[in-house]
Amino acid sequence: MTLRLFDVQCGFGGAKPGQKVLLTAQDCLAEMDRLEIGRALVRTVPENLDRDAIQSNEQLFDACRGEPRLAPCPVMFPSEADDLPPEREQVAALIDSGAAAVWLRPTYDLWSPASWACGALMAALTERRMPAFCLRRMMSFDAVADLAARCDTLPVILAEVGYRDQRVLVPLLKSFSNVYVSLGSNYTVHRGIEGLVRAVGPEQLLFGTGFPDVEPMMAVAQLVYAEIGNEEKALIASGNLDRLLGGIQ
């Protein structure tokens, strides 16, 4: 069986201290070609020096323009400080620019995911069914659960979940059907995909790599050789993410 892969966890264009050469969209596409990955939800990574998200979003959209295989995932944050357009306007503008999801990184961008601090943001995303992408190191399990409970029709995608998180991840997925997990770096649980499929089914699992931080072949092999059915593999490989993006209003 040939899987059609849609990578939910990768990116390019960012930098960290000491890095002199930036990874480009073409570098990302070349790696996708090497591993036969059809599409990718891309962010500005690494984010270590990314302190101007608005400019980074513009550069991300520019890099993805004319590249149908690249689906932009720009950063978004609340406008409660009255320094940005209202959240509904922000979401509409991002969708019009081609965004397929938004990246929420509260600890990095210094805002709170609590309802009193970002209620309008979450309402705007929920209204448009715009998937919200989060990283485990920037948003706790409790914060993800709280968001999923408050906005039960909002798709919440959690990435960078590690092998030590399995005992929390399973009940999180069982409790909230609108939470999805990327199986990219650093999810390296032995037979973890099989365990998650047994526990919660395949519908909340998404293929991801973690490129460029890691060699993406590991994630490809982990899915290809998982001892699950072909239909389950197809859902994880791209079907589930296709469904989420197709639900954007």
Side-chain angles (χ1 to χ4, degrees), residues 25-63:
Q26 295 306 313
D27 294 326
C28 184
L29 287 165
E31 189 69 2
M32 291 166 63
D33 288 339
R34 182 177 73 90
L35 297 176
E36 299 183 353
I37 295 174
R39 295 187 68 196
L41 182 72
V42 291
R43 299 168 288 123
T44 299
V45 298
E47 79 284 345
N48 303 64
L49 298 180
D50 182 23
R51 294 300 180 183
D52 189 340
I54 294 176
Q55 180 182 24
S56 294
N57 286 347
E58 292 174 354
Q59 293 172 342
L60 179 66
F61 285 126
D62 286 343

Side-chain angles (χ1 to χ4, degrees), residues 115-127:
S115 59
W116 54 265
C118 65
L121 169 60
M122 301 313 175
L125 293 175
T126 302
E127 186 177 76

Side-chain angles (χ1 to χ4, degrees), residues 1-20:
M1 175 189 182
T2 301
L3 289 176
R4 186 172 63 86
L5 299 172
F6 193 160
D7 188 353
V8 74
Q9 185 187 341
C10 69
F12 55 84
K16 53 188 175 183
Q19 185 174 345
K20 297 181 179 179

Side-chain angles (χ1 to χ4, degrees), residues 93-239:
L94 292 175
I95 292 175
D96 288 344
S97 296
V102 296
W103 184 9
L104 305 182
R105 46 185 207 182
T107 58
Y108 190 78
D109 292 320
L110 305 177
W111 56 273
S112 170
S115 59
W116 54 265
C118 65
L121 169 60
M122 301 313 175
L125 293 175
T126 302
E127 186 177 76
R128 302 297 296 267
R129 302 295 191 271
M130 187 64 164
F133 183 94
C134 312
L135 295 181
R136 170 74 177 87
R137 59 187 164 89
M138 295 183 183
M139 203 157 171
S140 69
F141 280 122
D142 286 339
V144 170
D146 182 62
L147 172 58
R150 295 188 341 245
C151 309
D152 59 4
T153 59
L154 174 67
V156 181
I157 300 171
L158 183 60
E160 292 190 0
V161 177
Y163 71 94
R164 300 183 68 181
D165 295 323
Q166 189 82 344
R167 288 188 178 89
V168 180
L169 176 62
V170 170
L172 177 71
L173 296 176
K174 285 183 176 180
S175 298
F176 303 102
S177 61
N178 57 322
V179 173
Y180 301 80
V181 64
S182 169
L183 299 176
S185 175
N186 47 359
Y187 186 82
T188 55
V189 179
H190 178 63
R191 297 300 184 194
I193 294 179
E194 291 89 337
L196 288 177
V197 169
R198 285 195 304 271
V200 300
E203 290 81 5
Q204 292 168 264
L205 311 182
L206 305 175
F207 169 75
T209 63
F211 177 80
D213 289 338
V214 299
E215 162 56 56
M217 178 58 81
M218 185 282 296
V220 176
Q222 183 173 241
L223 177 58
V224 169
Y225 292 106
E227 294 181 356
I228 58 176
N230 288 338
E231 291 184 2
E232 293 166 326
K233 287 183 181 180
L235 286 175
I236 298 169
S238 59

